[in-house]
Amino acid sequence: MSPRAAWRLESLGFGDVYDYVAGKLDWMAAGLPTEGTNAQRPRAADVARKDVPLCGLKERLGDVRDRVRAQGWDAAVVVNEDRVVLGLLRTAELEKDPAQLIEQAMRPGPSTFRPFVSIHEMGHFMVEHKLENAPITTSDGRLVGLLLKQDVVSQPADVS
Amino acid sequence: MPKQIDRDEVRRLLDGGAQLAEVLPSPEYEEDHLPGALHLPLRHVEERAADLLERSRQIVVYCWDAA
């Protein structure tokens, strides 16, 4: 749609026209702000826990488990130095052999969700798929935070 | 010929004073639009462009995605 609008503007005599082809989806997936009626409603990025424990591929599971539990968590996100999500440690993974490296123990390639998805939508999905938590990432895979089901279901219902 | 640009270039142009216009229909614009974007639905470009946009400034248009 935007290419047609750009061409039409040029034909109407507007000389310096640019087409942001990736559009609003790309903008919102990068976690950038928007204006409008939906901007006031909570989204995945608003509710996701930003203080989720992080770890790297080469750490030992036992060390990570101790650290994670000491922080009161039962999950951790495996990231690289650019905070790109590589894996997830949920309760089952944290219970594995403590001598394993994280890259052996982790759940690789977890499903991730974009920051702009509404909490209402996330709640339905997490309940339907029995997800206790879900990583929220930008479109380039960088971690925004970990969304917990308990936080999602405690949000007020969307009245619209 | 309109130039295709990415997100970084959009931000650079906006910082430089470019105008931004969403060409999607009303409900989609009203729910979410990029900060400061004007509303110029594709079907109304002919009738509204001259009033909404300044010819002397750069114009960035966008819709939902590349599809």
Side-chain angles (χ1 to χ4, degrees):
Chain A
M1 190 178 279
S2 62
R4 287 183 283 155
W7 278 106
R8 188 66 183 112
L9 283 168
E10 279 213 342
S11 73
L12 292 168
F14 291 90
D16 209 1
V17 182
Y18 298 81
D19 179 11
Y20 175 23
V21 284
K24 190 157 58 175
L25 174 62
D26 173 70
W27 185 270
M28 294 170 72
L32 294 170
T34 57
E35 296 173 346
T37 55
N38 278 353
Q40 305 308 316
R41 297 181 182 156
R43 305 187 200 239
D46 301 322
V47 180
R49 301 278 190 102
K50 315 300 188 298
D51 60 346
V52 58
L54 307 178
C55 63
L57 290 170
K58 300 298 183 187
E59 292 189 76
R60 206 171 62 87
L61 180 61
D63 297 336
V64 172
R65 183 170 66 204
D66 292 347
R67 195 170 79 229
V68 167
R69 297 234 165 110
Q71 294 175 52
W73 281 80
D74 60 1
V77 182
V78 186
V79 296
N80 68 7
E81 59 276 11
D82 293 318
R83 283 179 69 89
V84 172
V85 173
L86 303 175
L88 189 61
L89 300 171
R90 291 185 173 129
T91 307
E93 288 76 39
L94 287 169
E95 292 297 331
K96 289 182 176 177
D97 178 0
Q100 280 189 325
L101 293 176
I102 293 300
E103 64 185 344
Q104 299 167 312
M106 70 180 187
R107 177 192 296 256
S111 297
T112 60
F113 301 84
R114 297 291 87 82
F116 63 83
V117 180
S118 77
I119 283 301
H120 186 67
E121 192 176 333
M122 285 302 305
H124 280 299
F125 189 89
M126 294 177 82
V127 168
E128 188 179 330
H129 292 83
K130 297 182 171 59
L131 289 178
E132 288 303 313
N133 50 51
I136 307 302
T137 67
T138 57
S139 47
D140 56 3
R142 293 170 203 269
L143 181 69
V144 173
L146 189 68
L147 188 64
L148 307 185
K149 189 168 74 177
Q150 68 198 58
D151 293 342
V152 173
V153 298
S154 67
Q155 289 290 309
D158 191 340
V159 293
S160 67
Chain B
M1 178 178 178
K3 295 159 274 288
Q4 296 191 342
I5 57 173
D6 62 13
R7 191 189 327 135
D8 289 339
E9 185 70 3
V10 171
R11 300 176 86 171
R12 194 187 66 73
L13 286 168
L14 295 179
D15 287 345
Q19 305 165 95
L20 181 65
E22 177 166 323
V23 301
L24 291 165
S26 281
E28 293 162 67
Y29 172 83
E30 283 155 15
E31 287 175 0
D32 281 300
H33 53 266
L34 274 57
L38 303 167
H39 191 205
L40 184 64
L42 178 62
R43 290 184 179 178
H44 300 286
V45 167
E46 289 82 355
E47 64 193 76
R48 296 187 189 169
D51 292 333
L52 272 179
L53 301 170
E54 296 175 32
R55 292 178 189 277
S56 59
R57 292 167 58 196
Q58 296 163 317
I59 301 166
V60 178
V61 295
Y62 70 91
C63 56
W64 176 243
D65 61 16

